[in-house]
Amino acid sequence: DTYDIDYEDGERESRVNKRLIRSKDGSGGGGGGRLMEGDKVEADYRGRGKFYPGKIRRDRGDDTYDIDYDDGERETRVSKRLIRSKDEGGGGGRLSEGDKVEARYRGREKYYPGKISRDRGDGTYDISYDDGERETRVEESLIRKVGGSRSRSPSPSR
């Protein structure tokens, strides 16, 4: 499967292979956005229920990945459902009051800039958006921290 892409900066690209495309906001499959080679993750080693830190060595293109664990172990063809990203949300990038973020206002697809005005302590946050809007009890899965690596978005020059 291939797709034609219209980038936000006006560039266009034709016949882009499906495996080279991921949702800009990380929505889609149950586990969030597409995992990429080099991403820091936690994976359920051999599907036994215990997650260990590591990183994606290879994306097999079929929602399975090869993992290099921090302890030196390796595993191949690990299903995406057994992997949690440490780069976004649930890992070390814990959200705090005052953090600059982008959030999906009312759960919509588009992210809007703002900051966390309150941590509810239950995995939800109050957001004060830059345009003056406010929203309470926003799920952490609808929020991404700003100021991290911005190089993860696709480059139109490729």
Side-chain angles (χ1 to χ4, degrees):
D1 291 341
T2 63
Y3 297 88
D4 294 345
I5 308 289
D6 290 332
Y7 293 98
E8 290 178 343
D9 67 357
E11 293 281 327
R12 299 180 90 124
E13 194 172 4
S14 299
R15 295 192 305 272
V16 178
N17 190 306
K18 178 181 176 178
R19 69 179 188 80
L20 299 175
I21 302 170
R22 66 182 167 95
S23 173
K24 179 179 164 189
D25 63 19
S27 69
R34 182 124 185 108
L35 297 167
M36 297 176 64
E37 291 174 9
D39 281 358
K40 292 182 180 182
V41 296
E42 292 178 324
D44 183 352
Y45 183 69
R46 299 190 187 253
R48 294 183 181 152
K50 185 156 169 64
F51 285 79
Y52 294 93
K55 81 178 183 185
I56 304 283
R57 177 171 22 106
R58 180 175 175 196
D59 176 353
R60 298 271 180 172
D62 60 357
D63 276 348
T64 68
Y65 302 84
D66 295 356
I67 309 289
D68 285 341
Y69 290 98
D70 292 355
D71 66 3
E73 287 286 329
R74 290 184 167 188
E75 194 173 15
T76 59
R77 297 203 174 274
V78 179
S79 172
K80 180 179 180 178
R81 68 183 176 75
L82 299 175
I83 303 171
R84 311 190 279 227
S85 174
K86 289 178 69 174
D87 290 341
E88 312 170 24
R94 181 100 175 103
L95 300 170
S96 305
E97 290 180 16
D99 282 354
K100 289 183 182 274
V101 296
E102 293 177 328
R104 291 173 49 191
Y105 182 70
R106 295 193 175 168
R108 296 180 183 144
E109 291 301 309
K110 186 175 179 193
Y111 282 85
Y112 295 90
K115 76 177 189 180
I116 297 192
S117 56
R118 181 174 177 191
D119 178 348
R120 295 276 179 166
D122 61 358
T124 67
Y125 301 85
D126 294 357
I127 307 291
S128 295
Y129 292 97
D130 291 357
D131 66 2
E133 288 287 326
R134 295 181 176 275
E135 191 175 17
T136 59
R137 299 197 177 279
V138 180
E139 293 286 333
E140 186 171 8
S141 64
L142 299 176
I143 303 170
R144 63 184 179 203
K145 210 170 189 174
V146 174
S149 163
R150 308 286 305 174
S151 64
R152 295 170 56 88
S153 54
S155 168
S157 62
R158 292 189 179 205

